[in-house]
Amino acid sequence: MRIVSTTLLLLLIGSCQWSENRHITRKVAAAEVAGHWVATPFAMESLRYAGHREHLNPSDHQIEIRADGTCTFQSVLNIDLNGSGGDALYTREMESCRWRLLDFTKHSEIWIGLDQHDTGQTYYSFAEEEGRLFMWRYAGDPDAWKYMEFTRRDG
């Protein structure tokens, strides 16, 4: 019985994954964030994974961030649809918004608040891969390593 219990425990622990630590380890400057951001093809794969069936072209998801703290946003706000049976909250046109950087002890994030929606706000973390800056959020289960991510078109 002890061997069976130990084996089951090891199988359970071994089957658990972990979320990738993708957070950038340096402070992100506002000048790095200003520009036109577009979703990546991997983001579209991740949205499919999260249950989305519409707006699966990277050009359907873009964010224009301006240095004055304003922005325009076109993308989904509720990424995780697995099992919900609900529809995605998607901004069909570029909507005006505000943004600000949030610096935490171990990583930086950006807050984006849509002007036309009372609950229209979202947060993205930053990652840096091969010299490129990404804004990203988990798309579904963090252990799945799927992300709604944007990269700067002009950077």
Side-chain angles (χ1 to χ4, degrees):
M1 182 65 179
R2 188 174 188 192
I3 292 172
V4 171
S5 297
T6 302
T7 303
L8 287 174
L9 179 63
L10 289 174
L11 285 173
L12 180 63
I13 291 171
S15 67
C16 291
Q17 297 179 9
W18 62 92
S19 124
E20 174 184 29
N21 184 2
R22 201 172 181 216
H23 296 281
I24 197 166
T25 56
R26 65 175 178 80
K27 185 175 180 176
V28 175
E32 295 178 273
V33 177
H36 191 89
W37 295 76
V38 292
T40 67
F42 181 73
M44 300 303 94
E45 174 188 322
S46 298
L47 285 179
R48 278 186 199 89
Y49 170 83
H52 292 258
R53 291 185 284 255
E54 297 181 312
H55 311 295
L56 297 173
N57 187 321
S59 65
D60 293 337
H61 305 269
Q62 48 191 317
I63 306 169
E64 181 72 35
I65 297 177
R66 293 181 282 284
D68 67 359
T70 63
C71 54
T72 51
F73 180 92
Q74 180 181 14
S75 189
V76 292
L77 291 171
N78 57 332
I79 292 173
D80 187 8
L81 295 181
N82 279 341
S84 73
D87 293 328
L89 177 56
Y90 174 77
T91 59
R92 296 190 183 281
E93 298 174 4
M94 293 291 277
E95 293 198 20
S96 62
C97 58
R98 299 170 318 287
W99 69 273
R100 70 174 174 264
L101 291 174
L102 307 172
D103 292 311
F104 299 104
T105 304
K106 295 186 178 185
H107 66 274
S108 294
E109 289 186 357
I110 186 170
W111 169 85
I112 297 174
L114 300 183
D115 294 337
Q116 302 300 317
H117 292 281
D118 292 337
T119 59
Q121 65 179 352
T122 189
Y123 297 85
Y124 291 93
S125 296
F126 290 100
E128 192 166 36
E129 298 167 6
E130 298 178 7
R132 287 199 79 141
L133 193 62
F134 291 84
M135 291 190 310
W136 65 274
R137 288 181 54 193
Y138 292 111
D141 181 2
D143 291 343
W145 295 24
K146 300 288 187 185
Y147 312 104
M148 179 60 200
E149 65 180 14
F150 294 84
T151 188
R152 264 188 33 194
R153 180 185 292 164
D154 53 346

